[in-house]
């Protein structure tokens, strides 16, 4: 195979030689749909650096015009709870009704609460 | 005493605005089609979507310019008639955009050289004395600014990347450089349009283009080919003298419309 494949070389083969999927770091993408709305997690993608990630995010998640702002964050920068944490982290609230505001009756006569 | 002279029948005045619109539309139709050939084959999913995105933008711009060309021509041809039912010799795109995709580095180098040209051209055209052209250019300029950000960033990544990516994109630059003077040839059409303020002065635009290209190429640790790599012969696109590649490409682009004229789906 010559150094520079010509047009007859299947582009798929060239592509595989350039950047096998998974070599680039993964980034998480957050999109904002309106002024004042929260940035919400839209998905993830591969990119070489932050600018590249921003461009890929634009093309993958914002190309149909429903986005006004984008954040990209290296996935490695996110610390997540693990499935094993689910019990200790999230269960204790479930059986303690007094942790919820609905548990408390508002005394008669209190206004503007 | 004067000898009787034959008064020649005046040729119809050249429709310069039509020519300009065909050049703008055909550049984008042809390059958009070339990029669409990457669909499903790009190095990674994200880039596959990005290239298809740029292709669709260019197709949209081609639609606008060719539709207007049909109106200016006044023979009842719409953008589809112009795209699907003209022969290669009637296409007015530059030779740069019809060159086959090659490898990814070649596609990016071709795209970058065109994208910078598109930005400086559309920016100038957005101040055209023709209100229609100014409006179409302003609309397309926003997209072109994103396109050059995309291809420019790739020039930096490939040029300043691995030895192999550097070598490939440098070779692409060397190969494509000879097609770039054509982008700025001030032929009769361009010169007359510049005088009327409809289109910009091309030599001035050329200098602006080269400043931007030189900057990015330098930062990408690439070398700008010497002017001797320019070829004075490779500039027939604007008058319909194309490389053999265009005919093959048009065969694919036009076959469905020609096999089933007027078909709807």
């Amino acid at each position: 195979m010559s150094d520079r494949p010509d047009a007859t070389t299947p582009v798929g083969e060239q592509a595989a030689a350039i950047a096998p999927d998974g070599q680039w770091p993964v980034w998480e993408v957050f999109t904002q749909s309106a002024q004042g709305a929260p940035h919400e997690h839209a998905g993830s993608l591969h990119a070489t650096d932050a600018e590249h990630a921003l461009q890929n995010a634009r093309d993958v998640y914002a190309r149909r015009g429903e986005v006004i702002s984008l954040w990209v964050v290296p996935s490695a920068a996110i610390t997540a709870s693990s499935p094993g944490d689910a019990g200790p982290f999230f269960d204790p609230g479930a059986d303690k009704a007094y942790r919820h505001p609905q548990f408390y009756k508002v005394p008669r006569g209190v206004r503007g609460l | 005493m004067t000898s009787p002279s034959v008064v020649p029948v005046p040729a119809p005045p050249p429709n310069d605005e039509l020519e300009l619109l065909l050049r703008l539309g055909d550049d984008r139709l042809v390059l958009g089609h070339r990029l669409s050939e990457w669909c499903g084959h790009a190095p990674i999913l994200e880039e596959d979507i990005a290239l298809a995105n740029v292709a669709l933008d260019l197709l949209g711009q081609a639609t606008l310019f060719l539709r207007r060309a049909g109106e200016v021509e006044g023979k009842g041809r719409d953008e589809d008639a112009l795209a699907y039912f003209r022969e290669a010799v009637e296409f007015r795109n530059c030779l740069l955009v019809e060159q086959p995709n090659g490898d990814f580095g070649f596609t990016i180098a071709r795209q970058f050289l065109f994208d910078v040209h598109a930005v400086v051209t559309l920016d100038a055209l957005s101040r055209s004395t023709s209100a229609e052209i100014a409006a179409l250019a302003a609309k397309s300029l926003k997209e072109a600014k994103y396109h050059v950000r995309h291809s420019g960033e790739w020039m930096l990544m490939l040029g300043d990347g691995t030895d192999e990516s550097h070598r490939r994109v440098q070779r692409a630059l060397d190969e494509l450089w000879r097609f770039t003077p054509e982008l700025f040839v001030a032929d009769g059409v361009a010169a007359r349009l510049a005088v009327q303020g409809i289109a910009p002065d091309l030599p001035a635009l050329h200098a602006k283009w080269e400043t931007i290209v030189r900057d990015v190429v330098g930062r990408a640790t690439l070398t700008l080919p010497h002017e001797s790599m320019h070829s004075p012969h490779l500039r027939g696109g604007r008058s319909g003298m194309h490389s053999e590649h265009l005919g093959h490409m048009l065969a694919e682009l036009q076959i469905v419309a020609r096999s089933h004229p007027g078909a709807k789906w």
Side-chain angles (χ1 to χ4, degrees):
Chain A
M1 197 173 134
S2 67
D3 285 337
R4 193 179 91 60
D6 60 24
T8 58
T9 308
V11 282
E13 279 178 36
Q14 303 167 25
I18 293 168
D21 192 23
Q23 278 198 349
W24 294 346
V26 179
W27 300 71
E28 301 299 327
V29 180
F30 298 82
T31 60
Q32 187 188 34
S33 58
Q35 206 73 47
H39 283 74
E40 291 176 346
H41 188 235
S44 57
L45 46 73
H46 294 104
T48 52
D49 58 29
E51 165 66 20
H52 190 209
L54 207 52
Q55 286 188 26
N56 284 349
R58 183 266 192 192
D59 286 322
V60 177
Y61 294 107
R63 68 185 184 280
R64 300 205 174 94
E66 63 279 15
V67 173
I68 63 162
S69 170
L70 280 170
W71 290 349
V72 290
V73 180
S75 299
I78 292 178
T79 307
S81 62
S82 66
D85 292 334
F89 267 42
F90 309 121
D91 281 355
D95 60 349
K96 297 180 185 64
Y98 52 83
R99 283 176 174 247
H100 299 275
Q102 295 90 328
F103 179 77
Y104 298 95
K105 289 201 171 62
V106 179
R108 228 173 283 151
V110 173
R111 293 179 199 284
L113 193 67
Chain B
M1 192 173 150
T2 56
S3 57
S5 60
V6 179
V7 179
V9 180
N15 194 337
D16 293 332
E17 195 170 336
L18 172 61
E19 281 294 318
L20 174 66
L21 287 160
L22 289 176
R23 292 174 183 190
L24 290 165
D26 288 346
D27 278 355
R28 285 153 181 80
L29 175 65
V30 170
L31 186 58
H33 188 83
R34 279 284 181 237
L35 287 182
S36 78
E37 294 171 356
W38 275 101
C39 199
H41 301 285
I44 56 159
L45 173 71
E46 288 83 352
E47 190 53 27
D48 204 84
I49 297 173
L51 288 177
N53 238 344
V54 177
L56 287 171
D57 284 348
L58 291 174
L59 191 63
Q61 293 175 15
T63 303
L64 295 175
F65 286 121
L66 291 181
R67 183 180 299 153
R68 180 65 191 152
E71 290 168 7
V72 168
E73 185 191 43
K75 291 183 183 168
R77 292 204 282 185
D78 65 4
E79 65 273 20
D80 285 346
L82 289 170
Y84 295 127
F85 295 95
R86 275 182 303 154
E87 304 303 321
V89 293
E90 298 167 273
F91 273 75
R92 293 291 178 262
N93 59 279
C94 58
L95 300 176
L96 175 73
V97 296
E98 70 195 40
Q99 299 309 306
N101 286 338
D103 61 15
F104 184 67
F106 191 86
T107 290
I108 287 298
R110 182 189 64 194
Q111 194 63 33
F112 172 68
L113 295 172
F114 179 81
D115 286 342
V116 178
H117 167 257
V119 168
V120 297
T121 303
L122 294 170
D123 176 57
L125 283 174
S126 68
R127 293 182 294 276
S128 169
T129 53
S130 158
E132 289 84 4
I133 286 177
L136 295 181
K139 188 169 158 51
S140 302
L141 177 60
K142 268 189 251 173
E143 295 174 343
K145 281 181 177 171
Y146 179 72
H147 298 166
V148 79
R149 182 169 168 175
H150 170 257
S151 59
E153 197 64 32
W154 267 114
M155 288 296 284
L156 298 180
M157 282 196 280
L158 295 176
D160 198 13
T162 65
D163 287 347
E164 184 178 9
S165 69
H166 178 94
R167 184 168 48 77
R168 286 186 185 229
V169 77
Q170 180 65 56
R171 190 175 301 189
L173 209 52
D174 293 345
E175 213 167 303
L176 289 167
W177 194 241
R178 61 206 165 118
F179 296 110
T180 58
E182 188 193 17
L183 299 171
F184 303 100
V185 170
D187 61 0
V189 173
R192 287 191 295 273
L193 287 168
V195 169
Q196 298 169 72
I198 293 175
D201 177 54
L202 288 179
L205 220 55
H206 197 170
K208 203 173 165 187
W209 173 86
E210 191 163 325
T211 304
I212 300 171
V213 168
R214 195 173 285 280
D215 170 58
V216 174
V217 164
R219 284 193 286 135
T221 72
L222 297 163
T223 313
L224 209 59
H226 190 258
E227 262 182 44
S228 61
M229 301 281 278
H230 283 168
S231 168
H233 308 297
L234 291 171
R235 49 179 63 173
R238 300 303 190 204
S239 48
M241 290 183 287
H242 294 280
S243 59
E244 64 167 309
H245 305 299
L246 182 67
H248 294 295
M249 200 205 89
L250 287 180
E252 192 172 313
L253 190 155
Q254 296 176 329
I255 179 92
V256 174
R258 290 187 177 207
S259 305
H260 308 279
K264 298 245 182 283
W265 63 284

